[in-house]
Amino acid sequence: MRTQVAIIGAGPAGLLLGRLLERHGIEAVILERRSGDYVLSRIRAGVLEHGTRELLNACGVGERMEAEGLPHEGTEICFDGVSHRIDFRALLGREVMVYGQTEVTRDLMAARAASGAVTIYGAEDVALHDLDGSAPRVTYRKGGASHELTCDVIAGCDGFHGVSRRSIPADKLRIFERIYPFGWLGVLVDEPPAAPELIYAHHQRGFALCSMRSATRSRYYIQCPEDTDLDAWTDDLFWDELRRRLPQAVAEALRTGPAIEKSIAPLRSFVAEPMRYGRLFLAGDAAHIVPPTGAKGLNLAVSDVQYLAMALAEHYRDQSNAALDAYSARALSRVWKAERFSWWMTTMLHRFPAFSSFERRMQVAEFDYLRGSVAASTALAENYTGLPT
Ligand code: FAD
Ligand code: DHB
């Protein structure tokens, strides 16, 4: 088979890139290791930046998001029981959209199916070849048979554990990484949210987050040690621990029920530079990871593929490689700002077992400054609702 752009991975990065390329008349084939149902079963991010929402609308996949998503004009930051609301609308005239990654993925899959663009699910042993030449290839197995896809360019959108980044010679990549000594234990429940807006809470026992998916479905997270055994956390233990970490009024309003999903996500900051090797371009989690505090992961995947789609459009339209050559530097400039924000939110709001009393005072001072300063609150709002692309 031959195509213009071979996209590895049908997560949000791969599917949205496919959609954007379609709008530019560029053909792409997506190879995904898992089934479509499996991809949709992964519960992940929930907050879309202002620009992500605009882009989904501009490429014709925003209809259900606009109908069912929840626009939020602010969020609550709570520190040892003291609450401070960040009012996005008053500070910046902006909002974010609460709409799950699963739903974004579902909408993109439906649009792709309707347009007849090719996605090959269940593609095993995907391998990338001849990346440094002018005729890259992708091989894979499906249904016991071997296949080959030739193309002009490969987009590595296959997440942190994918094959794309690993296909780049180690001496061509520079890795920057920080691993945090804890994870997030997340629970999804079919009960109304405890509060109308998201609450990020710092507590002596650890961080907690109240989020939601709809008026009747809530998503909660608590910080847990890195070696936590998921099975040891019964629903009751989770609810008890969450309540302890929330302001009293929110804890009292919390509606609990059986968890419909429960999982642990490790926390990591990671960047691979550059986001390109020859004809392979990395986008999304394949190139970088942020800790989830601040909800940047999905939104960064979106801004990467927005840059990449524009660069590919220029390549095919004008026979120019200028934007493709600039892609990595352009994407990384935004990536590092999101890395900084996610690291900062994580550091202020979590309990770090190894922190000295000085570092704990720094956390208190960060929150105090935020609470007392319109400038600091505006900076948070600007980063949270999304820096310009
Ligand atoms: P992914 O969504 O990881 O998609 C990559 C796709 O590539 C997958 O479908 C995968 O099956 C496929 N693939 C992998 N390897 C191969 C291969 N060899 N061949 C073919 N296909 C392959 N962000 C937040 O903002 N908030 C959150 O609460 C949050 N929670 C998260 C929880 C977990 C467990 C994880 C892993 C991430 C979470 N994130 C969260 C981050 C956010 O979900 C990601 O940033 C986002 O999914 C990135 O999209 P992506 O398309 O780049 O990668
Ligand atoms: C959600 C996840 C986040 O990481 C975040 O900062 C806000 C919300 C969520 O899953 O709803």
Side-chain angles (χ1 to χ4, degrees):
M1 205 191 322
R2 173 163 174 87
T3 191
Q4 290 178 298
V5 181
I7 300 176
I8 317 300
L15 286 165
L16 181 59
L17 179 63
R19 179 72 184 171
L20 294 168
L21 293 179
E22 237 182 290
R23 309 286 273 190
H24 288 292
I26 300 167
E27 193 198 51
V29 169
I30 302 184
L31 297 177
E32 164 62 49
R33 184 172 50 161
R34 306 286 194 163
S35 69
D37 284 344
Y38 182 91
V39 171
L40 289 174
S41 71
R42 293 184 297 219
I43 307 297
R44 290 180 170 183
V47 179
L48 306 182
E49 291 175 0
H50 160 82
T52 299
R53 176 182 177 184
E54 284 191 334
L55 184 66
L56 293 173
N57 280 323
C59 66
V61 291
E63 199 177 319
R64 203 163 63 89
M65 169 187 71
E66 291 298 334
E68 297 175 18
L70 307 170
H72 278 202
E73 297 189 349
T75 189
E76 203 80 42
I77 311 284
C78 182
F79 200 100
D80 293 344
V82 180
S83 278
H84 173 57
R85 179 165 184 265
I86 306 289
D87 188 332
F88 311 140
R89 161 96 20 229
L91 293 166
L92 290 171
R94 288 228 213 121
E95 51 189 34
V96 294
M97 181 63 105
V98 175
Y99 189 64
Q101 175 169 338
T102 312
E103 305 312 318
V104 174
T105 308
R106 196 188 305 281
D107 296 342
L108 286 164
M109 282 179 174
R112 194 165 173 83
S115 74
V118 180
T119 310
I120 296 163
Y121 289 99
E124 294 167 15
D125 298 337
V126 169
L128 316 187
H129 309 274
D130 304 329
L131 298 174
D132 51 357
S134 58
R137 292 177 299 126
V138 185
T139 54
Y140 62 98
R141 283 193 315 107
K142 165 125 184 159
S146 299
H147 302 271
E148 184 177 273
L149 178 63
T150 56
C151 55
D152 302 328
V153 164
I154 301 174
C157 302
D158 49 352
F160 184 67
H161 299 288
V163 67
S164 297
R165 192 184 63 254
R166 282 186 280 116
S167 304
I168 300 176
D171 63 342
K172 302 290 184 201
L173 273 189
R174 190 152 177 220
I175 303 296
F176 303 83
E177 186 168 31
R178 165 169 300 212
I179 295 178
Y180 302 85
F182 41 74
W184 278 17
L185 171 60
V187 159
L188 190 67
V189 64
D190 271 329
E191 291 290 341
E197 292 181 338
L198 271 63
I199 301 173
Y200 291 83
H202 170 101
H203 187 275
Q204 290 309 312
R205 298 180 63 90
F207 171 78
L209 170 59
C210 302
S211 181
M212 64 193 73
R213 290 291 177 273
S214 70
T216 56
R217 181 170 284 190
S218 307
R219 179 74 165 157
Y220 297 101
Y221 298 94
I222 55 173
Q223 175 185 351
C224 61
E226 53 191 331
D227 54 358
T228 295
D229 171 14
L230 186 59
D231 295 330
W233 281 90
T234 61
D235 291 358
D236 285 344
L237 283 173
F238 180 88
W239 297 123
D240 288 346
E241 187 57 34
L242 177 64
R243 267 193 217 95
R244 284 191 198 107
R245 299 183 188 187
L246 296 177
Q248 197 183 343
V250 180
E252 283 168 9
L254 183 70
R255 303 262 298 260
T256 65
I260 54 176
E261 195 266 358
K262 198 185 285 171
S263 54
I264 296 178
L267 265 68
R268 178 196 302 267
S269 300
F270 177 97
V271 181
E273 288 187 356
M275 289 168 59
R276 174 199 190 159
Y277 173 68
R279 294 276 179 136
L280 168 66
F281 295 84
L282 301 178
D285 279 17
H288 42 73
I289 295 287
V290 288
T293 336
K296 290 294 123 194
L298 167 62
N299 293 292
L300 267 189
V302 168
S303 60
D304 286 355
V305 298
Q306 188 176 6
Y307 296 145
L308 186 54
M310 285 192 291
L312 287 165
E314 186 178 306
H315 169 79
Y316 284 109
R317 190 185 57 232
D318 306 337
Q319 282 76 52
S320 160
N321 284 332
L324 276 179
D325 291 342
Y327 164 72
S328 173
R330 191 173 177 201
L332 282 167
S333 150
R334 196 165 191 278
V335 164
W336 275 112
K337 291 177 198 116
E339 290 284 347
R340 185 205 68 82
F341 177 65
S342 307
W343 158 82
W344 174 78
M345 281 274 277
T346 301
T347 305
M348 174 173 65
L349 293 175
H350 288 72
R351 188 180 169 278
F352 286 72
F355 263 13
S356 64
S357 54
F358 177 83
E359 287 161 314
R360 281 197 292 275
R361 280 286 192 276
M362 286 296 105
Q363 291 179 304
V364 175
E366 281 287 359
F367 178 72
D368 241 13
Y369 174 51
L370 184 67
R371 198 158 74 99
S373 162
V374 175
S377 297
T378 307
L380 196 158
E382 182 183 35
N383 281 277
Y384 194 88
T385 58
L387 295 175
T389 47

